[in-house]
């Protein structure tokens, strides 16, 4: 088992397989994003080597994310190959965060490769607002993908970023929809990651306000459910389903952090909110990749910091220059 300098076990690897996306969500990206040149990306085989090395060091959970992971060519091969480790009992969970645009096409293959739970991001159920907010997306297509995923047996969690004025008054509706379909839901505060075309202070909605509003409609009871991540969960008595809150700005969530993040260019970020990283490219391309990757992983974990230093202030540059789509949300 990997232990960081603060004795936190590192058992969870998140892998951004691409920084590209078919959407341009306003809070995540700018309209004119410059994506990484394809030649700078690790191949899927190199990504797999890194994942295997983590699994051999005790990592029990891998989440594939991005950018939009399902737009990376042949990404199902990665799911299939990592799924073998689920069957061997070396990996407990292989999962995915997606915007849902390609889910209808891939839901069955995901289930077959051993994926059982996925997160799908939906910030509004209003078709026009959805197209505006994502600058590209089609809500119908995403919903079809979600229902297909449900049909094939994938357990779904809806991720919703709380945005002042934009979906502030719709969150209860999204929650009702999610729970009526037996989907859990996690509500997320915007984080200051990467330049976008807006001032984040205009978008920032503290979740204390959202919680207050939910309490007017439902009975929230603290849940024991805990995934080692930033989400704090509550049960809604009326629906018998869970809602999680991720509040990096109003509460620090780092004390029990169990995760590290690999980018599609082979950098390992030990914290979403800090700039320090370790470069795995050479080790992943080496003939002796097994020993070389083990060495660089062990060294990187000794540098996992205690926590992030996020702040959102008017006209201030983002705390971290990388977009969430680079480090993987
Ligand atoms: N494209 C996929 C999706 O949207 O689910 C996976 C990658 S996306 C970067 C992962 C999650 O990060 C999404 O739920 C998205 O809403 C969230 N996200 C992106 N930028 C964010 C930001 N600046 N603050 C908070 N959450 C953000
Ligand atoms: Fe793409 Fe996900 Fe970012 Fe939206 S949040 S632009 S879907 S990576």
């Amino acid at each position: 088992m990997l232990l960081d300098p603060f004795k936190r076990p590192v058992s969870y690897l998140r892998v951004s397989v691409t920084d590209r996306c078919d959407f341009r969500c306003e809070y995540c990206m700018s309209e004119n994003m410059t994506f990484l040149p394809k030649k700078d990306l690790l191949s899927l085989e190199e990504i797999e080597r890194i994942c295997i090395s983590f699994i051999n060091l005790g990592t029990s959970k891998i989440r594939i994310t991005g950018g939009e992971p399902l737009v990376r060519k042949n990404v199902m091969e990665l799911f299939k190959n990592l799924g073998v480790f689920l069957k061997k009992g070396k990996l407990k969970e292989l999962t995915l965060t997606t915007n849902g645009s390609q889910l209808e096409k891939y839901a069955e293959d995901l289930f077959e490769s051993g994926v059982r739970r996925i997160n799908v991001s939906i910030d509004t159920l209003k078709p026009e607002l959805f197209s505006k907010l994502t600058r590209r997306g089609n809500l119908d297509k995403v919903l079809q993908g979600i229902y297909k995923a449900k049909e094939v047996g994938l357990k779904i969690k809806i991720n919703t970023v709380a945005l002042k004025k934009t979906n502030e008054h719709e969150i209860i509706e999204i929650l009702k929809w999610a729970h009526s379909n037996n989907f859990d839901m996690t509500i997320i505060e915007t984080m200051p990651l990467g330049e976008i075309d807006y001032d984040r202070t205009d978008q920032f909605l503290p979740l204390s306000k959202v919680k207050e509003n939910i309490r007017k409609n439902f009975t929230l009871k603290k849940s024991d459910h805990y995934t080692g991540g930033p989400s704090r969960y509550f049960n809604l008595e009326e629906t018998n389903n869970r809602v999680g809150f991720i509040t990096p700005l109003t509460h620090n969530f780092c004390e029990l952090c169990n995760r590290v993040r690999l980018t599609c260019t082979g950098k390992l970020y030990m914290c979403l909110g800090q700039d320090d990283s370790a470069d795995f490219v050479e080790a992943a391309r080496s003939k002796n990749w097994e020993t070389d990757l083990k060495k660089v992983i062990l060294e990187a974990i000794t540098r996992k910091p205690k926590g992030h230093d996020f702040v959102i202030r008017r006209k201030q540059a983002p705390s971290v220059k990388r977009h969430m789509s680079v480090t993987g949300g």
Side-chain angles (χ1 to χ4, degrees):
M1 172 62 79
L2 291 166
L3 278 185
D4 79 359
F6 305 94
K7 303 268 180 290
R8 294 171 297 193
V10 179
S11 54
Y12 182 7
L13 175 67
R14 295 171 80 110
V15 182
S16 172
V17 291
T18 176
D19 66 323
R20 287 166 197 255
C21 188
D22 49 348
F23 293 0
R24 300 282 185 284
C25 301
E26 285 178 356
Y27 56 82
C28 176
M29 296 189 180
S30 64
E31 169 78 63
N32 300 308
M33 283 291 282
T34 313
F35 293 111
L36 295 161
K38 288 209 170 117
K39 67 173 179 40
D40 291 356
L41 302 196
L42 289 183
S43 69
L44 288 174
E45 194 189 348
E46 287 157 0
I47 291 178
E48 191 183 320
R49 286 177 172 183
I50 298 174
C51 293
I52 294 172
S53 304
F54 269 96
I55 294 170
N56 288 337
L57 286 165
T59 291
S60 56
K61 178 169 172 180
I62 295 181
R63 177 177 298 277
I64 307 297
T65 177
E68 176 43 43
L70 298 183
V71 301
R72 171 120 192 208
K73 205 169 157 202
N74 298 329
V75 72
M76 280 306 135
E77 285 301 307
L78 180 66
F79 280 100
K80 229 197 288 165
N81 296 345
L82 292 177
V84 171
F85 292 86
L86 291 168
K87 287 174 194 130
K88 284 187 196 160
K90 290 193 80 183
L91 191 60
K92 276 201 198 119
E93 187 169 38
L94 175 62
T95 181
L96 160 81
T97 302
T98 175
N99 65 22
S101 67
Q102 314 296 313
L103 204 46
E104 198 178 8
K105 184 161 139 203
Y106 290 125
E108 251 168 328
D109 292 345
L110 286 166
F111 191 87
E112 259 170 43
S113 66
V115 173
R116 291 293 173 266
R117 296 191 312 133
I118 59 171
N119 290 358
V120 188
S121 305
I122 290 233
D123 304 311
T124 176
L125 289 170
K126 297 176 182 165
E128 273 175 29
L129 181 58
F130 188 89
S131 304
K132 181 182 173 290
L133 196 60
T134 58
R135 296 190 181 111
R136 303 278 194 282
N138 177 332
L139 178 65
D140 254 0
K141 195 163 178 231
V142 169
L143 291 176
Q144 276 166 23
I146 291 178
Y147 295 133
K148 175 76 184 183
K150 183 181 173 183
E151 187 190 307
V152 304
L154 291 167
K155 174 91 182 132
I156 295 160
K157 187 166 80 179
I158 301 297
N159 277 352
T160 300
V161 176
L163 298 162
K164 191 153 74 184
K165 293 183 192 135
T166 310
N167 64 4
E168 183 172 357
H169 301 294
E170 202 199 335
I171 290 179
I172 299 283
E173 285 312 306
I174 305 173
L175 182 60
K176 283 184 184 163
W177 164 78
H179 283 192
S180 70
N181 279 290
N182 214 14
F183 307 149
D184 283 339
M185 180 171 171
T186 293
I187 306 170
I188 309 170
E189 267 175 2
T190 46
M191 296 175 227
L193 301 170
E195 293 285 354
I196 53 171
D197 303 327
Y198 300 87
D199 192 326
R200 286 188 200 272
T201 32
D202 293 332
Q203 301 183 324
F204 180 66
L205 176 64
L207 292 197
S208 47
K209 271 194 141 183
V210 176
K211 228 186 251 175
E212 203 180 288
N213 210 9
I214 295 178
R215 280 212 164 93
K216 286 183 195 152
N217 294 266
F218 296 102
T219 322
L220 279 182
K221 285 252 165 87
K222 254 203 169 141
S223 156
D224 293 336
H225 183 71
Y226 184 59
T227 58
S231 216
R232 297 294 170 264
Y233 291 94
F234 290 78
N235 288 319
L236 250 70
E237 256 184 22
E238 291 79 357
T239 62
N240 208 18
N241 271 304
R242 264 195 299 261
V243 60
F245 297 91
I246 300 186
T247 54
L249 274 298
T250 50
H251 294 103
N252 195 305
F253 52 42
C254 308
E255 72 278 6
L256 293 167
C257 180
N258 64 351
R259 60 203 58 197
V260 287
R261 297 161 197 266
L262 179 71
T263 71
C264 54
T265 54
K267 284 202 162 83
L268 189 80
Y269 283 92
M270 286 68 83
C271 172
L272 178 67
Q274 301 282 359
D275 284 328
D276 189 30
S277 67
D279 196 329
F280 285 2
V281 175
E282 207 180 305
R285 291 186 175 156
S286 147
K287 263 200 289 187
N288 304 317
W289 61 269
E290 278 164 310
T291 29
D292 291 357
L293 278 172
K294 183 175 175 188
K295 207 161 118 196
V296 289
I297 291 172
L298 290 173
E299 189 280 326
I301 299 302
T302 65
R303 285 193 271 141
K304 186 164 164 61
K306 197 164 180 198
H308 67 72
D309 306 309
F310 286 150
V311 271
I312 290 188
R313 283 200 205 102
R314 201 164 278 284
K315 302 227 167 16
Q316 181 175 296
S319 300
V320 172
K321 284 206 182 81
R322 319 181 289 285
H323 291 86
M324 182 81 118
S325 50
V326 172
T327 329

